[in-house]
Structures are given as C-alpha cells and as structure tokens.
Amino acid sequence: EKLKIEKKNSFKKIYSSLTSWQKVQVARHSNRPHTLDYIDNVFDDFVLLSGDKKYAEDRSIVAGFAKINEISVIVIGNEKGNSMESRIKHNFGMAKPEGYRKVQRLLLLAEKFNLPVITFVDTAGAFPGKEAEERGQSESIASSILQCLKTKSPIISVIIGEGGSGGAIAMATADKVFMLENSIYSVISPEGCASILWRKNEAVIEAAEALKLTAEECYKLKVVDEIIKETPGGAHRFVKEQFEIVKKRIIEEINQLINIPIDQLVLERNEKFLSITSN
C-alpha cells in the first residue's frame, strides 16, 4: 500500500511538470486509448456505419449509432490503430476526402433523427497524399467544418490524443470542445514546424513550445472549452479510470445541451468559432 501511494505521488510530480514536447510524446503514446477503445468502454449497442455514399469507405474514421446512459447518440472518431496491421488498416488515423464526407453524412443523420453527436479527435492531420488531393481534400475538410457549424443537433468533441491541423478541426467544430490533459491540438506538428521555420529536426522542442499546443495553452487561448483531467501517469496507464471520467463528463454535457433550444445552440456555436477567428 505504501509503495502504491509513493508510485501515485511520483506520477503526480512527474506529470505536473511535463514540457510541451513531453506532452506531445504522451499524446502519441502507443498504449493511449483510441476511439475504438472509448466506443467499447463508454458506449453501448454501437452500430457501425460505413461509406460516404459517393466513393468509398474510409476506415481511418469510425462512426455509427450508439447509446450512452440510455441516450441514443451518433459517435464519430479518428482511429489510429494499435498494431502495425491495424495502423495500416486505419491509415494511421489520417482521413481522406471520403472520410470527411462520411462525417458529413453522419451529421445529417444526427440532425434527421435529432441525436446528439460525440466526436473523438485523434489524428496527426488529414492524409496528405496525391490521391486525397485529387479527390478534393481541402474542400471535404471545409465542407465538414461548415456542416458542423450548421447541424441542428448538439455536438460534443473530445480531443483524446493528437489534434492535428484542419484534419482535426473538421471534427472539433462543436458546441463543447473538451481536451484531455495530456493531449495536443495545433495547426501543424512540431516536426513540421521545425522543418519549415528552423529547417532542422532538432528544433522540435522549441517548435512544440512555440506552437502553444498543450491543453493549458489551448484553454487559455479559448480554443477549447474545458480540460478533462487525466489520471496521474496518463490515460495510457489507467485506462478504466479514464473511460469513467470521460463518460461522466459526456453524459453531464449532453444533459445540459439537449435543454437548450436548437436554434440558440447553433447560433452560439457559430458565434464561438467566429470570435476565435476574429481574435
């Protein structure tokens, strides 16, 4: 028992003083729970929905109907995978245009059936390959953001790992944007920033600090609405406790949002994101 207390105190001490670059590494930890883990442990009766009805199924985005505390919802999230085989299958969580068009399809379904939407964001960014550009990557991201802004259903977004660039914003344009304590949210990866501004990979630590990508910085800048605490030692060490924390907060927020008149909710959502762009 004494050793357990010492271990917990050590975790608290270490994780209370992580640098920005260390938080990037925690956010990318291979054992950190991904979208499918949250779906399996936070929701019940999940029914997978596939395809964008236009081109193909994009497995980097997992979506479908589910229940949480007997409330029917639609769940959408990036899935990175946790083994080489599953990472390749899910394209490392990097969506192509058909993935974002699937997001739009699910948002329209949510509005049609009057269901709250829960999104889990965990991606290094949208897929940057040639075929994605040929199929209209930037347009699909922009259309997803627009659809999020106008969907007449409550939307809650949880950044559970990496929130990278427009690929993340396409799913994090929500009434409430939550961010796990050790997750990150930024316009570009520290590696990408270092290679562009400093032209050397060794500048990643400096880049991570400059990007203001931690949950604390994003909350200060009003980019996210709330930080969800992680168990000391990170979500990857105490996954069951983390699932309970996230589940409780989602249920509380759904119960609040469903009592707000939908037109008012959509108006406030739009005003919130317009105020970010004007600052």
Side-chain angles (χ1 to χ4, degrees):
E1 191 62 34
K2 187 185 174 186
L3 285 171
K4 280 184 180 178
I5 292 167
E6 283 180 10
K7 184 181 176 183
K8 193 173 181 181
N9 288 336
S10 294
F11 279 144
K12 274 185 182 177
K13 186 179 177 183
I14 293 164
Y15 276 76
S16 64
S17 57
L18 294 178
T19 64
S20 296
W21 176 240
Q22 286 170 331
K23 289 208 172 186
V24 171
Q25 292 169 303
V26 175
R28 293 171 175 171
H29 198 287
S30 59
N31 293 336
R32 196 171 174 85
H34 296 144
T35 293
L36 283 173
D37 299 312
Y38 282 96
I39 287 172
D40 290 342
N41 292 276
V42 172
F43 300 90
D44 300 309
D45 303 332
F46 179 68
V47 178
L48 182 71
L49 295 176
S50 303
D52 65 344
K53 297 287 183 81
K54 290 181 179 178
Y55 182 78
E57 159 66 348
D58 188 335
R59 289 194 177 97
S60 66
I61 290 180
V62 178
F65 294 109
K67 282 188 176 179
I68 181 168
N69 201 32
E70 294 306 308
I71 303 167
S72 293
V73 296
I74 276 183
V75 184
I76 308 168
N78 307 103
E79 176 55 40
K80 283 183 170 181
N82 51 19
S83 65
M84 186 50 69
E85 187 182 346
S86 62
R87 283 174 188 143
I88 291 167
K89 176 185 172 183
H90 295 289
N91 200 34
F92 299 84
M94 295 187 292
K96 296 174 183 175
E98 50 270 26
Y100 294 111
R101 292 183 182 124
K102 176 164 68 171
V103 171
Q104 294 162 47
R105 183 167 81 85
L106 270 288
L107 289 168
L108 290 168
L109 268 180
E111 183 173 301
K112 181 178 180 180
F113 294 113
N114 196 26
L115 299 175
V117 178
I118 318 296
T119 72
F120 290 99
V121 177
D122 188 15
T123 180
F127 184 67
K130 177 174 174 280
E131 65 268 37
E133 294 299 333
E134 286 172 345
R135 296 199 290 273
Q137 184 72 290
S138 57
E139 182 277 330
S140 69
I141 292 171
S143 294
S144 285
I145 296 169
L146 177 61
Q147 191 58 56
C148 283
L149 287 171
K150 67 183 185 181
T151 294
K152 291 188 173 181
S153 284
I155 305 175
I156 298 166
S157 184
V158 188
I159 299 166
I160 57 174
E162 281 189 277
S165 193
I169 297 170
M171 290 166 57
T173 307
D175 299 299
K176 288 290 178 182
V177 182
F178 298 143
M179 193 170 174
L180 263 61
E181 189 178 359
N182 294 313
S183 57
I184 58 170
Y185 193 21
S186 96
V187 69
I188 193 172
S189 69
E191 294 90 340
C193 177
S195 67
I196 293 167
L197 295 184
W198 286 275
R199 301 199 181 262
K200 55 182 181 179
N201 288 334
E202 302 81 63
V204 287
I205 296 169
E206 196 176 344
E209 291 292 339
L211 283 167
K212 309 284 185 197
L213 44 63
T214 65
E216 291 84 356
E217 294 286 2
C218 289
Y219 181 70
K220 276 185 206 168
L221 293 166
K222 298 183 179 177
V223 172
V224 299
D225 299 298
E226 189 180 313
I227 299 169
I228 295 179
K229 288 285 179 187
E230 289 189 27
T231 44
H236 57 284
R237 277 198 174 88
F238 304 100
V239 288
K240 286 183 181 176
E241 292 91 331
Q242 197 61 52
F243 292 141
E244 284 305 313
I245 293 167
V246 172
K247 183 176 182 177
K248 183 172 178 251
R249 191 64 197 91
I250 289 172
I251 291 167
E252 287 171 355
E253 199 56 48
I254 289 174
N255 288 327
Q256 286 185 16
L257 292 176
I258 58 177
N259 290 320
I260 301 171
I262 196 62
D263 289 334
Q264 181 188 335
L265 197 65
V266 172
L267 182 65
E268 287 174 2
R269 188 190 307 155
N270 278 263
E271 286 176 346
K272 178 174 83 165
F273 283 94
L274 284 169
S275 70
I276 292 171
T277 57
S278 61
N279 284 342

